[in-house]
Amino acid sequence: MSYRQQNQRREREELEAKLVKQNEELISELADTMFKFFCIAGVLGAAATVSFYFQHYLSPRGSPLFRLPDGCGGGSEHAALNSTMFQLSLKALRSLPSTGFPEVQHVAAPPRDPNDPRTWTEGEDGIFRVNSNWWMVAVNNDMSGVRGSELRDWFEGVNCSDKYRWWHPMDHQYGVWLPTGEAGGRVSAEVREKNGGGLMTSRMGQTHRVIELIGGRPSFLDIRFGPPPCEPSACTKLEEDGVELMLSAEITSHEPVVGLVSVGRFIHTLRVSGEQSTLHSRFVIGRGVKCLSDTWTCRAFSLFLPLVKSYKLSEVTVKSIFKHCREEMTVLGRVIRHLSKIQRM
């Protein structure tokens, strides 16, 4: 064999060895890619399965907690009124203009002190991110023609899901008051006078268990009403300044697997000046979040609290709360005015 033939044979063998190595690397890379793909698909499939299981088997919606008996009753008279009021509230909701959201303001301290009653009726609409940790939402709704006594009668009389849906026909799904003695009972006029005078309702101490859509997602909430967070003298001063009703409540959420979680509170303050009525709503969201259940899942929730807050109490969620409040309180004003008109007939 000549020297030239030996070189050609060696080059051919080197080329074949190079091609074999390239094929091996390609096969290895393809196998690695397929492995990653199946791993990701497996994780996504497992997540979807767990999510489906939670929603259909562990969701609070199917729990006895959210299957308490409604108090509306039946009869043709209730059915006729329910149909009329639902259509009225639906028409009112659809007629609302789309106003958008106020720009989120990042602040080091809340612009209005949630513990100072003098600030509850001050300022414009706003969404505030306080110290990159919690949210304050301020919504002012025109409720002209509605007096404090009428708004009080509404809260004391909204005793079933049918009436609760009049308040917001799209977002409100279910709403009942927990039985007396289970989570606080209704209070007497004497206790009411001692704890805030005419500013509060006899629902103080009771819990309203509701399902409502916030941003299209169902929220399973316990809303426990309490006395106005002000001293009797400060409450009296508010009454002298035109405040006719104040609704203060703590908000807790029923979370699948985790249990009951405290997420915030709100104060609704109705100020009346002549024929002009304004409901000033102030929400404190994400401040003092804590799990109230004594379970290992609750303790795990506490370990991942910052991550959970960033997901569950995001800017999108808070804007949805602003939108929901704007819609429900505007609709409620029209519902109350219509009910008052019916009662006068």
Side-chain angles (χ1 to χ4, degrees):
M1 182 181 295
S2 67
Y3 178 76
R4 181 178 180 182
Q5 289 176 328
Q6 289 179 348
N7 283 340
Q8 289 177 344
R9 181 178 178 181
R10 186 170 58 253
E11 289 175 355
R12 185 168 58 251
E13 290 176 348
E14 290 177 352
L15 179 60
E16 289 176 353
K18 186 176 181 180
L19 290 174
V20 170
K21 184 177 181 180
Q22 287 178 345
N23 287 337
E24 290 176 348
E25 291 176 349
L26 182 62
I27 292 172
S28 176
E29 184 177 348
L30 181 61
D32 187 53
T33 302
M34 293 295 291
F35 176 77
K36 291 179 179 178
F37 171 79
F38 284 113
C39 283
I40 294 173
V43 170
L44 292 177
T49 302
V50 171
S51 177
F52 178 87
Y53 183 76
F54 282 174
Q55 290 178 13
H56 292 271
Y57 296 99
L58 296 179
S59 167
R61 187 186 294 275
S63 161
L65 294 174
F66 286 87
R67 292 187 179 275
L68 297 175
D70 264 345
C72 279
S76 57
E77 183 177 345
H78 167 73
L81 179 61
N82 182 51
S83 177
T84 299
M85 296 306 301
F86 183 83
Q87 292 301 321
L88 181 143
S89 60
L90 188 61
K91 182 179 179 181
L93 177 64
R94 289 173 174 171
S95 67
L96 293 179
S98 179
T99 56
F101 305 100
E103 183 179 350
V104 175
Q105 301 180 46
H106 294 263
V107 295
R112 312 178 213 355
D113 185 351
N115 298 311
D116 185 356
R118 295 171 299 178
T119 68
W120 294 342
T121 59
E122 295 177 355
E124 303 296 326
D125 294 342
I127 300 176
F128 305 93
R129 179 66 164 159
V130 183
N131 201 24
S132 300
N133 186 34
W134 55 279
W135 299 89
M136 173 175 277
V137 180
V139 192
N140 303 307
N141 288 295
D142 180 16
M143 297 190 77
S144 295
V146 176
R147 303 303 302 249
S149 58
E150 295 170 321
L151 186 58
R152 179 183 294 109
D153 289 343
W154 166 262
F155 273 93
E156 295 183 352
V158 59
N159 58 349
C160 64
S161 294
D162 282 348
K163 292 181 181 179
Y164 187 57
R165 280 188 283 268
W166 300 352
W167 193 353
H168 195 302
M170 302 299 291
D171 288 354
H172 288 183
Q173 307 286 305
Y174 171 91
V176 298
W177 294 94
L178 295 189
T180 300
E182 182 170 329
R186 301 182 73 164
V187 299
S188 64
E190 291 78 15
V191 174
R192 182 170 65 185
E193 189 67 29
K194 181 180 179 181
N195 287 275
L199 294 181
M200 57 181 292
T201 80
S202 64
R203 292 290 187 186
M204 186 191 82
Q206 276 199 288
T207 297
H208 201 201
R209 180 160 291 167
V210 304
I211 302 175
E212 58 184 35
L213 303 182
I214 301 296
R217 296 188 302 181
S219 296
F220 304 86
L221 307 174
D222 277 359
I223 303 175
R224 181 178 173 84
F225 287 83
C230 58
E231 296 296 327
S233 59
C235 287
T236 301
K237 182 64 169 61
L238 289 174
E239 290 186 85
E240 294 172 352
D241 291 340
V243 173
E244 293 193 355
L245 187 67
M246 191 180 300
L247 300 164
S248 175
E250 301 286 336
I251 309 169
T252 52
S253 175
H254 292 261
E255 296 295 332
V257 181
V258 174
L260 201 59
V261 179
S262 173
V263 295
R265 63 189 180 97
F266 66 73
I267 301 171
H268 298 308
T269 307
L270 182 71
R271 182 187 289 276
V272 179
S273 178
E275 292 298 316
Q276 179 69 33
S277 299
T278 305
L279 187 68
H280 304 271
S281 299
R282 303 290 180 261
F283 296 84
V284 174
I285 305 296
R287 188 181 190 184
V289 172
K290 59 182 178 180
C291 190
L292 305 178
S293 303
D294 185 20
T295 62
W296 70 267
T297 53
C298 189
R299 289 188 286 273
F301 171 90
S302 301
L303 291 175
F304 295 97
L305 185 57
L307 181 62
V308 174
K309 284 177 64 175
S310 65
Y311 169 69
K312 295 288 289 185
L313 303 177
S314 64
E315 181 176 325
V316 173
T317 301
V318 174
K319 285 184 175 180
S320 297
I321 292 173
F322 180 96
K323 178 176 181 289
H324 178 81
C325 181
R326 170 73 78 216
E327 292 174 347
E328 69 173 355
M329 294 308 180
T330 304
V331 169
L332 180 59
R334 300 184 187 184
V335 167
I336 290 177
R337 287 193 293 270
H338 187 79
L339 289 174
S340 298
K341 183 179 178 180
I342 292 176
Q343 291 175 354
R344 290 194 296 266
M345 292 176 63

